[in-house]
Amino acid sequence: MRLALFALLLSLATPAAAQDREVSIAGPQGALHGALLAPPGAKAVVVIIPGSGAINRDGDGPVLPRAQSYKLLAEGLAARGIASVRIDKRGLYSSAAAIADPNKVTIGDYAADARAWAAFAAKETGHPCAWLLGHSEGGVVALAAGNAPAICGQLLVSSPGRPMAEVIRAQLRANPANAPLLPDADRALDALAAGKTIDVAGFHPALQQLFNPAVQGLLIDEFRQNPRELAAALKGPVLIVQGQADLQVTPADAAALKGGAPFAELLLVPGVNHVLKHVDGTQGDNIASYSIPDRPIATEVVEGIADFIARHPREQGKPVLN
């Protein structure tokens, strides 16, 4: 009787959750690293591309954010039968050896890495292609990666729809306390958007950090990118996900992306901010959520992505074209 009861308890046990597995691909000077989270019998696979700056595979930076948004997103997708690869960008964290100077990169470099990760993720999980899920600036990278055969389509989450110089300018103007900084900020943005470096030695320390000479080359390259035009060139399925409480990237950006790619689906999520968490509508809670890793990710984001993928299956060797 005890044996029979033990067997019954085993049959009712909850299956163990999928575990991260360290994976790597070749980089320009050394390996690029990431984490594969693959539930048994995964129905699809997604490559999660981080946003701007020193953001790691989990969605965290050296100071902020510390919300673990990408890790929570990967876990949510795994619970819905979708595998994912979360990556560390070339030159950063576990991918530090891939390039000597992490600031000597371009969006094109990141896009090449994204295409390589898509090919790896598809092969590793036995699928004909992988989805590119770009968050924030990662969405621009996903757009720049284009229509490679190993890419199922693009999932653009909190992604800018305007050139980054315009986004930064709007972000600075959104806070009245920044008013004294705006003349210098505008000069820097105008110069970089024109492809010219600028001496920021006399600027406010916050602007010196934002426009650090070490990153001006990358900023010049970023400012050349027009997300709306990149979206218009896509041929596969595209989902645009935008939180309506996002203080960094706004629904206007989502509308701009949709304008460039009318075939794309648009998912607006009320009450969700840039780190994909529900907030109470106050700026204080919105900012506080950037450092609360145990606040759950918005289920609408996870379910919206999973549903979109389920409605856009890819057949081996037959790319979906709009």
Side-chain angles (χ1 to χ4, degrees):
M1 178 64 72
R2 287 185 178 180
L3 183 59
L5 178 59
F6 181 66
L8 176 62
L9 290 174
L10 282 179
S11 70
L12 295 177
T14 302
Q19 299 295 312
D20 281 348
R21 176 163 65 86
E22 189 73 12
V23 292
S24 65
I25 61 174
Q29 299 172 15
L32 298 165
H33 288 267
L36 171 66
L37 185 61
K43 296 173 285 190
V45 62
V46 168
V47 176
I48 299 175
I49 306 170
S52 61
I55 302 298
N56 68 14
R57 66 178 69 175
D58 290 337
D60 292 345
V63 180
L64 287 176
R66 307 292 288 179
Q68 300 221 320
S69 300
Y70 305 159
K71 185 174 188 292
L72 294 172
L73 178 57
E75 291 170 349
L77 291 173
R80 289 156 179 81
I82 297 171
S84 63
V85 176
R86 310 191 308 280
I87 64 173
D88 284 328
K89 296 186 288 187
R90 61 165 70 184
L92 296 175
Y93 303 104
S94 65
S95 298
I99 188 171
D101 185 349
N103 293 319
K104 300 297 183 182
V105 293
T106 65
I107 294 296
D109 293 333
Y110 287 146
D113 293 344
R115 287 190 292 269
W117 275 116
F120 167 84
K123 182 177 180 181
E124 189 73 5
T125 58
H127 291 92
C129 56
W131 294 85
L132 291 186
L133 190 160
H135 176 255
S136 194
E137 182 192 84
V140 180
V141 175
L143 288 166
N147 301 301
I151 298 173
C152 300
Q154 275 79 358
L155 310 166
L156 309 174
V157 182
S158 304
S159 300
R162 301 162 287 168
M164 284 298 295
E166 295 181 25
V167 175
I168 294 172
R169 203 185 302 270
Q171 289 174 349
L172 291 171
R173 277 169 164 66
N175 185 350
N178 290 333
L181 310 182
L182 294 181
D184 282 343
D186 285 339
R187 285 201 302 118
L189 290 167
D190 290 342
L192 295 168
K196 301 175 183 178
T197 59
I198 184 169
D199 182 0
V200 296
F203 285 16
H204 185 279
L207 293 182
Q208 290 182 18
Q209 181 178 0
L210 179 61
F211 302 116
N212 187 321
V215 302
Q216 287 189 19
L218 174 57
L219 290 175
I220 287 171
D221 181 72
E222 288 179 334
F223 292 178
R224 290 192 187 108
Q225 313 299 320
N226 188 319
R228 181 186 173 110
E229 292 178 359
L230 291 171
L234 296 179
K235 301 297 183 182
V238 177
L239 174 66
I240 302 164
V241 180
Q242 178 62 51
Q244 292 183 301
D246 194 330
L247 298 176
Q248 295 180 247
V249 177
T250 69
D253 288 284
L257 288 172
K258 175 72 171 173
F263 58 85
E265 289 192 25
L266 174 60
L267 174 62
L268 295 174
V269 192
V272 169
N273 71 354
H274 194 67
V275 292
L276 312 181
K277 308 288 182 88
H278 275 288
V279 292
D280 65 10
T282 65
Q283 187 174 28
D285 186 57
N286 201 319
I287 294 172
S289 72
Y290 280 60
S291 56
I292 307 177
D294 57 355
R295 180 177 292 192
I297 194 168
T299 56
E300 301 97 314
V301 172
V302 179
E303 290 172 357
I305 292 169
D307 175 67
F308 182 81
I309 290 173
R311 290 187 286 106
H312 293 83
R314 302 295 295 270
E315 297 181 37
Q316 184 74 39
K318 295 182 180 179
V320 175
L321 302 178
N322 287 288

